[in-house]
Amino acid sequence: MEINDSLVPDISYLIYRKCTPTWEIIKNEISFNDLTYVIEGKGIYTINGISYEVKRGDLLCIPRGSIRKAHCIVDDLMNLYSANFTLYTMEGELADMPFPLLSHIGIKSDLVGLFRELSNAWVRKEPGYRIKTRGLLLVIIHRLFELILLKQDRSSMDYRVKKAINYISESYASNISVKEIANMVGLNTVYFGALFKNETGMLLNQYLTIMRINHAENMLQNGECKVSEAAERCGYKDLSHFRKQFKMVKGYSPSQCLKNQPNLV
């Protein structure tokens, strides 16, 4: 699943709403995207003539141009976070939310925390708040990519795997082995290898290779160093092996990163 990395939100409205028995949204056509996360209670949303009962843990992603109305279920009032915004690409073109209209994602404490911080920053309106709120909303959208499109929930990842990933991010250039990291987290090698693959979808050595090559690509694209220097900085002593690994991961040779820095090839 390819994720659009060029999204830029323009926020028009944010609220943490504790619904009253008389709360409703009058039928209207919206010119923005409505992202609503229900954290308590139930309600009825009617979108383009179709009614949906939403409940705790549901996420509504109502696209711009929709005809929308809503009301509470009186004996189980909703608490919810709602963000209204327009999405653009970095080229300034309108973009759509890539999520289903209604998803049940459950109550995720980290997501609730992000919405809370977003709502608070919007209400306080301190200097620079628009930058902060755009950034927070993008983090929320990325989290929804993980939960809805990629079917990943990194918040529940085993703490030993998280510790291993943090160690790799800081020590990717060193001679790391599965046995070394398994010992570091207090597990035998076979069990840890299986746990890591189950949590990340790849073997530890595969993950390490991708991290090393990604770092090398970044160094080369920024013109920091030659191919041989990037290989050494990322833990490769054999330049030929580095070139093969780079081509395998990226689909092109490391020297292609240097087309704008010809003196560094």
Side-chain angles (χ1 to χ4, degrees):
M1 176 70 66
E2 186 174 346
I3 292 176
N4 184 353
D5 282 333
S6 70
L7 298 178
V8 180
D10 181 17
I11 304 169
S12 56
Y13 180 71
L14 279 165
I15 192 169
Y16 170 58
R17 175 178 290 118
K18 291 186 175 182
C19 295
T20 63
T22 58
W23 174 82
E24 66 174 333
I25 295 176
I26 297 172
K27 184 177 179 180
N28 67 103
E29 180 178 346
I30 60 174
S31 59
F32 47 81
N33 300 297
D34 177 351
L35 186 67
T36 294
Y37 186 30
V38 181
I39 59 173
E40 292 292 344
K42 295 179 182 178
I44 303 295
Y45 276 73
T46 302
I47 313 298
N48 298 325
I50 301 174
S51 293
Y52 303 86
E53 181 178 288
V54 299
K55 60 185 183 301
R56 172 183 165 88
D58 280 349
L59 182 84
L60 274 166
C61 299
I62 308 173
R64 57 187 170 82
S66 299
I67 307 297
R68 173 194 68 166
K69 68 175 182 177
H71 64 271
C72 276
I73 293 177
V74 176
D75 60 356
D76 197 0
L77 296 175
M78 289 188 296
N79 291 351
L80 56 85
Y81 286 98
S82 185
N84 297 165
F85 57 93
T86 304
L87 271 182
Y88 297 93
T89 66
M90 285 189 287
E91 292 74 30
E93 298 176 352
L94 283 170
D96 296 318
M97 286 193 297
F99 306 120
L101 180 65
L102 179 62
S103 304
H104 183 73
I105 59 174
I107 298 299
K108 306 296 182 183
S109 59
D110 64 318
L111 195 55
V112 172
L114 286 168
F115 270 105
R116 182 185 300 118
E117 187 176 359
L118 174 61
S119 178
N120 289 342
W122 181 262
V123 171
R124 288 198 302 268
K125 288 183 167 45
E126 295 174 347
Y129 79 97
R130 285 193 173 273
I131 296 175
K132 182 175 183 178
T133 52
R134 279 197 299 270
L136 287 167
L137 182 54
L138 282 173
V139 173
I140 289 170
I141 290 171
H142 179 268
R143 183 76 171 98
L144 297 176
F145 272 129
E146 290 184 332
L147 291 170
I148 298 171
L149 301 184
L150 302 179
K151 308 297 183 184
Q152 296 174 350
D153 188 359
R154 297 296 174 88
S155 68
S156 62
M157 180 179 284
D158 187 281
Y159 72 94
R160 293 161 295 190
V161 174
K162 287 183 180 178
K163 184 176 181 180
I165 287 173
N166 289 338
Y167 178 74
I168 290 170
S169 70
E170 296 172 354
S171 309
Y172 62 90
S174 62
N175 186 23
I176 297 173
S177 68
V178 178
K179 183 177 181 180
E180 174 194 354
I181 298 183
N183 289 338
M184 181 183 73
V185 299
L187 298 173
N188 72 60
T189 303
V190 174
Y191 180 83
F192 173 72
L195 177 65
F196 191 93
K197 187 174 189 304
N198 183 63
E199 293 286 305
T200 65
M202 64 185 79
L203 298 172
L204 185 140
N205 285 332
Q206 292 174 315
Y207 183 89
L208 176 59
T209 295
I210 291 172
M211 291 301 101
R212 284 173 167 169
I213 296 303
N214 284 346
H215 278 286
E217 180 187 46
N218 189 52
M219 293 175 190
L220 294 171
Q221 287 178 337
N222 289 326
E224 292 181 26
C225 53
K226 298 178 181 179
V227 171
S228 58
E229 293 170 333
E232 184 176 356
R233 290 188 191 183
C234 294
Y236 289 93
K237 297 180 180 179
D238 185 333
L239 183 57
S240 175
H241 180 59
F242 169 72
R243 291 182 186 273
K244 289 178 181 177
Q245 293 276 286
F246 194 103
K247 182 71 177 293
M248 179 186 71
V249 173
K250 295 297 178 181
Y252 55 87
S253 68
S255 59
Q256 286 181 261
C257 291
L258 298 174
K259 59 184 178 181
N260 295 323
Q261 296 88 27
N263 294 328
L264 291 176
V265 179

